[in-house]
Amino acid sequence: MKYTIAVARGDGVGPEVISQAIRILDRVSGVYGHKFEYRSVLAGGAAIDETEEALPKETIDICRGSDAVLLGAVGGGKWDALPREQRPETALLRLRKELGLFANIRPAVLFEALADACPLKAGIISGGVDIVVVRELTGGIYFGEKGVKESGDMGLAAYDVEIYAEEEVRRVARTAFSLARERAGKITSVDKANVLESSRLWRRTVSALAAGYPGVTLEHMYVDNAAMQLVRDPGQFDVILTGNMFGDILSDEAGVISGSIGMLPSASFAAGNFGLYEPVHGSAPDIAGKDRVNPVAAILSAAMMLRYSFGLSGEAEAVEQAVKSVLDEDYRTPDIYSEGKKAVGTKEIGALIAERIL
Ligand code: IPM
Ligand code: MN
């Protein structure tokens, strides 16, 4: 089969990690006989430099016409002085919105070989960690009304409205329930229903859906408690379902448990098989161009693409297994390095992973 992939390398370490993800896809194509056609698109700072726009229309059109999108990372100090609506990050936010990518899946898995890179005590992670954060991605406070106004004695005031409609909650909750059904069968829906009206609607809506998924256990948790429970006893979580802002925060927290944010892939879905795949980490300009960045997050994102957009589960597992082997053989990029391990750079770990896909 032939699959078309829109590729936005982006800024900072983006191009480096995407090169390795493509190396892996090329390897999969060679071993399994699939054809991947890559279409390069501009997004973020790279797009601003060339076209003066963070997300040119051409990029949106090419993404829409592809089977999936692979994205590196956007942003960097170079564009910090720009007003909010012109910043590289708007490329990401607009792409999510334009492509209708309402469900963001962020797995946080602790590879056994990396237990010593996890900042939590051995006793806390002894049962392993295998969590998926399902984050609503096109609504909530990120996309509610925003503004700045004069506020009398208090000076200038600025606001961002948190708003969720029932159907926005339902569609992302369905993704979480379907996922939980194939995993350990537990959802923790995270909100702040003791304070926020939007959270009360969120909670009611998710509860009402639960009846349709008899094999799945649903619990609700306040976000402050969830932030604490994640580091106190991460083993209690299977699927965490939450809104855009809480999901942004909790997925970073869940991420660090896996040893490094450099290990974390993500997928964002609209209805159907179309998806955008990107590492959770940012553009890390401080280490860009130094062959230091860990490409595993991008590589595992490509594996998610194989599984979810192309239905190639066997191929996805082969990639994941190859990553595991390389870690088991003690190869480490700087972010996960500890004494006595084998230090490797971005390109070398990419090559080692590719070699192990047979
Ligand atoms: C993420 C990032 C983005 C977000 C930023 C870059 C806009 O932090 O994907 O988690 O907040 O969604
Ligand atoms: Mn984030």
Side-chain angles (χ1 to χ4, degrees):
M1 270 285 277
K2 185 179 140 192
Y3 305 93
T4 330
I5 306 170
V7 181
R9 289 176 176 73
D11 311 318
V13 297
E16 287 166 86
V17 298
I18 292 301
S19 291
Q20 298 314 309
I22 287 183
R23 183 204 287 258
I24 298 304
L25 288 171
D26 284 344
R27 174 76 179 188
V28 167
S29 128
V31 172
Y32 293 87
H34 307 297
K35 172 116 188 56
F36 300 121
E37 186 191 310
Y38 309 109
R39 297 180 184 164
S40 278
V41 295
L42 287 170
I48 295 174
D49 288 351
E50 266 196 43
T51 70
E52 288 175 14
E53 253 189 296
L55 188 68
K57 181 169 179 305
E58 193 192 10
T59 296
I60 304 173
D61 290 341
I62 293 177
C63 289
R64 281 213 178 101
S66 303
D67 297 311
V69 182
L70 184 61
L71 188 141
V74 298
K78 184 175 170 195
W79 305 280
D80 265 354
L82 291 173
R84 179 181 55 79
E85 62 279 8
Q86 286 171 30
R87 290 173 62 90
E89 288 84 349
T90 59
L92 207 51
L93 298 172
R94 277 196 52 213
L95 205 52
R96 289 169 180 171
K97 196 72 173 174
E98 298 269 353
L99 301 175
L101 303 167
F102 59 81
N104 181 219
I105 315 289
R106 298 186 164 184
V109 178
L110 178 64
F111 286 84
E112 255 169 64
L114 292 188
D116 59 354
C118 170
L120 300 179
K121 283 187 201 148
I124 294 180
I125 51 165
S126 58
V129 179
D130 183 358
I131 301 171
V132 180
V133 178
V134 178
R135 166 187 177 196
E136 200 290 325
L137 203 59
T138 52
I141 195 166
Y142 272 57
F143 291 95
E145 197 192 325
K146 301 176 185 298
V148 182
K149 62 178 186 186
E150 210 29 83
S151 182
D153 289 352
M154 294 292 183
L156 267 189
Y159 59 95
D160 303 85
V161 175
E162 164 87 352
I163 176 164
Y164 269 116
E166 286 173 314
E167 190 48 37
E168 280 181 297
V169 179
R170 255 184 235 124
R171 62 188 185 181
V172 68
R174 282 192 207 104
T175 305
F177 276 102
S178 310
L179 226 118
R181 206 160 45 183
E182 286 156 30
R183 296 173 41 97
K186 182 177 173 191
I187 293 188
T188 307
S189 175
V190 173
D191 61 36
K192 187 72 186 173
N194 48 347
V195 177
L196 303 177
E197 202 56 54
S198 51
S199 282
R200 298 169 75 82
L201 179 123
W202 178 282
R203 192 175 276 224
R204 277 199 307 277
T205 311
V206 174
S207 292
L209 264 189
Y213 300 85
V216 178
T217 314
L218 169 66
E219 68 173 16
H220 299 278
M221 199 179 273
Y222 297 138
V223 62
D224 47 352
N225 186 27
M228 177 181 71
Q229 295 298 337
L230 260 174
V231 287
R232 200 189 67 85
D233 176 21
Q236 70 183 286
F237 295 105
D238 177 23
V239 174
I240 293 178
L241 164 65
T242 190
N244 205 343
M245 177 81 145
F246 297 156
D248 180 44
I249 299 166
L250 292 182
S251 60
D252 268 35
E253 191 188 354
V256 76
I257 297 171
S258 71
S260 163
I261 196 162
M263 299 291 300
L264 294 182
S266 82
S268 304
F269 298 115
N273 294 335
F274 180 82
L276 178 146
Y277 300 84
E278 57 176 323
V280 169
H281 65 72
S283 59
D286 51 324
I287 58 163
K290 296 185 177 157
D291 197 45
R292 284 179 62 87
V293 61
N294 186 348
V296 166
I299 290 169
L300 292 175
S301 300
M304 290 181 88
M305 172 186 296
L306 295 171
R307 174 176 294 117
Y308 293 115
S309 282
F310 307 158
L312 303 174
S313 312
E315 287 81 342
E317 263 159 47
V319 174
E320 289 157 357
Q321 198 51 51
V323 168
K324 186 172 178 302
S325 301
V326 166
L327 296 174
D328 286 343
E329 291 166 50
D330 284 346
Y331 292 104
R332 301 283 188 270
T333 43
D335 57 315
I336 49 175
Y337 179 79
S338 59
E339 221 184 297
K341 305 294 182 194
K342 301 169 190 153
V344 288
T346 309
K347 291 188 195 125
E348 194 178 350
I349 201 163
L352 289 164
I353 295 168
E355 275 168 23
R356 282 157 185 74
I357 300 170
L358 303 167

